[in-house]
């Protein structure tokens, strides 16, 4: 199968950020998941933090992040991340994490403390979090939502039929929809976001159903992108979508009522997240912020 | 600067590496078709307007 070609420029800003990330001892999903956009994002001074360690308790079959028994949480991590945000001079931060099924609250309180710490140290900063499903636990989701993130993302990852094949057995299609619905219910002012990886063998109708389900759960931003196999250990790519396919899906997504759609082969949940946030705020303000089903494309 | 000087195939994609310098490739260090480790030197470039050669490295 023809691979996607990416032009990369290893500029001085990339090297500078790589040094900084290494010196601060912070984990990034950019490296952990072998993200193809690392040169572009780091070259523009943006990185996505990955908290709660580099080892995930789940075994999703599309993901490259290390799996196994994780280390205990670093109680200083919320402070370290907040300081790193200040050092990097970021005004928009994206935080993701591994899943921590080994912890009683799935790591929700640590996540919440990280968000609070970032906001305390960096007044005015906007925080976007990509959260685990916390086993669908309401109190865990509430802890995170009430700690004040501006955007809560949780990925459905794939269509209903392929969920058992692609995701860990503890994940669930309906459970993920419920996480998104719950976050929105707890704070209707929060922007919610979800991603679908395409190319795992889904049909167009199944993708449309998944998009409709996400919209039904009140999701504001949808990210559609191409699955790229990180190594031979993960699922093979069943289909490579063309740019034309992505343009078509973008139109369909907007027709379903999403406030903002990112449809690009190399898009990932945190890719150009700041732009997506700003534009979503603008559109939702005009078309009724936080009102269910009111987000329509201008 | 900005000209494609190498292609590195990784599992997810093919990375087309642009030169970060204006200059001339003087020596190709990584053998075409071989596997390289992150951080290893790919080639040496004579940079215009500077005395020293600079290496172009992988990620």
């Amino acid at each position: 199968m023809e691979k996607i070609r990416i032009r990369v420029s290893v500029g001085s800003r990339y090297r500078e950020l790589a040094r900084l990330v290494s010196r601060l001892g912070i984990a990034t999903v950019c490296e952990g998941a072998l993200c193809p956009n690392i040169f572009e994002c780091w070259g523009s001074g943006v990185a996505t933090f990955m908290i709660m360690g580099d080892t995930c308790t789940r075994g999703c079959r599309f993901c490259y992040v290390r799996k196994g028994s994780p280390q205990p949480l670093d109680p200083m991590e919320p402070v370290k991340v907040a300081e790193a945000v200040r050092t990097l001079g970021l005004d928009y931060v994206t935080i993701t994490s591994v899943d921590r099924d080994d912890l009683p609250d799935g790591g929700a309180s640590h996540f919440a403390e990280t968000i609070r710490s970032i906001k305390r140290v960096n007044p005015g900063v906007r925080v976007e979090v990509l959260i685990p499903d916390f086993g669908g636990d309401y109190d865990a989701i509430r802890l995170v939502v009430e700690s004040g993130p501006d955007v809560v993302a949780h990925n459905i990852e794939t269509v209903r039929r392929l969920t058992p094949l692609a995701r860990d057995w503890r994940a669930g299609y309906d459970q993920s929809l419920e996480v998104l619905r719950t976050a929105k219910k707890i704070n209707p002012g929060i922007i919610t976001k979800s991603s679908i990886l395409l190319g795992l063998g889904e049909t167009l109708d199944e993708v449309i159903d998944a998009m409709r389900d996400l919209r039904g759960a009140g999701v504001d931003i949808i990210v559609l992108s191409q699955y790229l196999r990180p190594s031979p250990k993960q699922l093979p790519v069943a289909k490579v979508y063309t740019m034309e396919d992505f343009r078509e899906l973008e139109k369909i997504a907007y027709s379903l009522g999403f406030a903002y759609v990112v449809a690009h082969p190399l898009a990932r949940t945190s890719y150009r997240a700041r732009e997506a946030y700003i534009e979503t705020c603008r559109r939702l303000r005009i078309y009724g912020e936080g009102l269910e089903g009111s987000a329509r494309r201008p | 600067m900005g000209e494609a000087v190498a292609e590195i195939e990784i599992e997810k994609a093919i990375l087309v590496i642009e030169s970060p310098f204006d200059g001339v490739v003087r020596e190709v260090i990584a053998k075409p078709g071989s596997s390289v480790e992150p951080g290893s030197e790919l080639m040496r470039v004579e940079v215009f307007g500077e005395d020293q050669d600079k290496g172009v490295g992988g990620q």
Side-chain angles (χ1 to χ4, degrees):
Chain A
M1 195 172 297
E2 186 68 12
K3 284 187 182 175
I4 289 180
R5 299 167 74 85
I6 308 168
R7 278 189 86 94
V8 301
S9 169
V10 189
S12 55
R13 291 192 73 185
Y14 169 86
R15 287 194 295 263
E16 191 185 319
L17 187 57
R19 265 195 300 271
L20 203 53
V21 163
S22 158
R23 184 168 62 79
L24 295 168
I26 46 179
T28 66
V29 74
C30 322
E31 297 168 293
L34 298 182
C35 184
N37 302 316
I38 189 167
F39 300 101
E40 181 190 336
C41 294
W42 287 27
S44 63
V46 179
T48 297
F49 299 94
M50 188 166 72
I51 61 169
M52 305 201 283
D54 63 357
T55 307
C56 187
T57 50
R58 302 254 173 121
C60 297
R61 296 181 62 210
F62 55 84
C63 182
Y64 188 74
V65 171
R66 182 205 309 263
K67 293 147 186 67
S69 299
Q71 298 290 310
L73 289 176
D74 173 4
M76 290 308 289
E77 186 170 58
V79 175
K80 277 188 204 163
V81 172
E83 289 301 331
V85 169
R86 184 159 66 181
T87 307
L88 294 170
L90 303 176
D91 65 353
Y92 195 90
V93 190
T94 49
I95 307 281
T96 183
S97 77
V98 291
D99 278 31
R100 294 296 302 253
D101 297 285
D102 58 312
L103 302 171
D105 68 352
S109 51
H110 188 84
F111 226 122
E113 186 47 40
T114 304
I115 296 165
R116 280 193 295 266
S117 174
I118 292 169
K119 293 223 159 184
R120 209 162 36 225
V121 176
N122 305 274
V125 74
R126 302 301 164 109
V127 180
E128 172 171 331
V129 291
L130 173 57
I131 61 170
D133 61 21
F134 298 117
D137 185 80
Y138 179 86
D139 291 331
I141 299 165
R142 198 182 61 187
L143 260 178
V144 174
V145 172
E146 290 185 344
S147 67
D150 299 276
V151 178
V152 170
H154 174 68
N155 289 343
I156 195 101
E157 311 287 10
T158 186
V159 300
R160 182 184 288 278
R161 177 177 58 87
L162 296 175
T163 297
L165 170 80
R167 299 177 68 189
D168 184 272
W169 62 273
R170 285 158 290 188
Y173 184 85
D174 290 305
Q175 180 163 277
S176 284
L177 287 174
E178 194 53 34
V179 168
L180 291 157
R181 196 178 289 120
T182 302
K184 195 69 162 179
K185 201 157 49 179
I186 293 168
N187 181 358
I190 231 162
I191 291 171
T192 55
K193 180 174 186 177
S194 194
S195 299
I196 304 177
L197 279 172
L198 300 168
L200 289 166
E202 65 288 329
T203 66
L204 177 61
D205 281 346
E206 287 177 315
V207 177
I208 294 172
D209 282 346
M211 291 200 280
R212 197 171 278 133
D213 289 341
L214 288 172
R215 191 59 209 120
V219 171
D220 303 299
I221 305 176
I222 188 167
V223 180
L224 303 162
S225 63
Q226 173 70 47
Y227 168 62
L228 298 171
R229 191 186 205 178
S231 90
K233 285 184 188 161
Q234 283 79 26
L235 292 171
V237 177
K239 180 184 172 184
V240 175
Y241 286 68
T242 63
M243 279 308 292
E244 190 49 45
D245 294 331
F246 277 102
R247 276 191 287 271
E248 196 53 43
L249 286 165
E250 182 183 9
K251 271 188 221 153
I252 295 169
Y254 274 122
S255 76
L256 292 172
F258 289 99
Y260 195 82
V261 180
V262 187
H264 189 273
L266 296 176
R268 294 297 180 258
T269 316
S270 306
Y271 182 63
R272 296 190 182 170
R274 188 177 178 278
E275 289 167 53
Y277 169 76
I278 292 168
E279 188 55 23
T280 303
C281 281
R282 195 181 66 79
R283 291 179 187 177
L284 287 180
R285 218 171 10 249
I286 294 169
Y287 294 92
E289 186 172 3
L291 299 176
E292 189 74 19
S294 64
R296 293 282 180 273
R297 194 185 192 185
Chain B
M1 179 130 81
E3 193 183 342
V5 289
E7 288 189 356
I8 299 179
E9 186 172 352
I10 58 172
E11 194 60 37
K12 280 191 174 182
I14 295 170
L15 305 177
V16 182
I17 312 293
E18 295 178 359
S19 173
F21 317 109
D22 282 324
V24 178
V25 175
R26 287 298 180 205
E27 188 188 355
V28 178
I29 291 168
K31 218 171 97 195
S34 65
S35 296
V36 291
E37 289 298 315
S40 56
E41 217 171 24
L42 302 179
M43 67 192 71
R44 295 199 76 82
V45 177
E46 185 187 330
V47 179
F48 292 155
E50 290 185 34
D51 302 338
Q52 255 187 326
D53 284 3
K54 287 198 174 169
V56 178
Q59 190 197 338

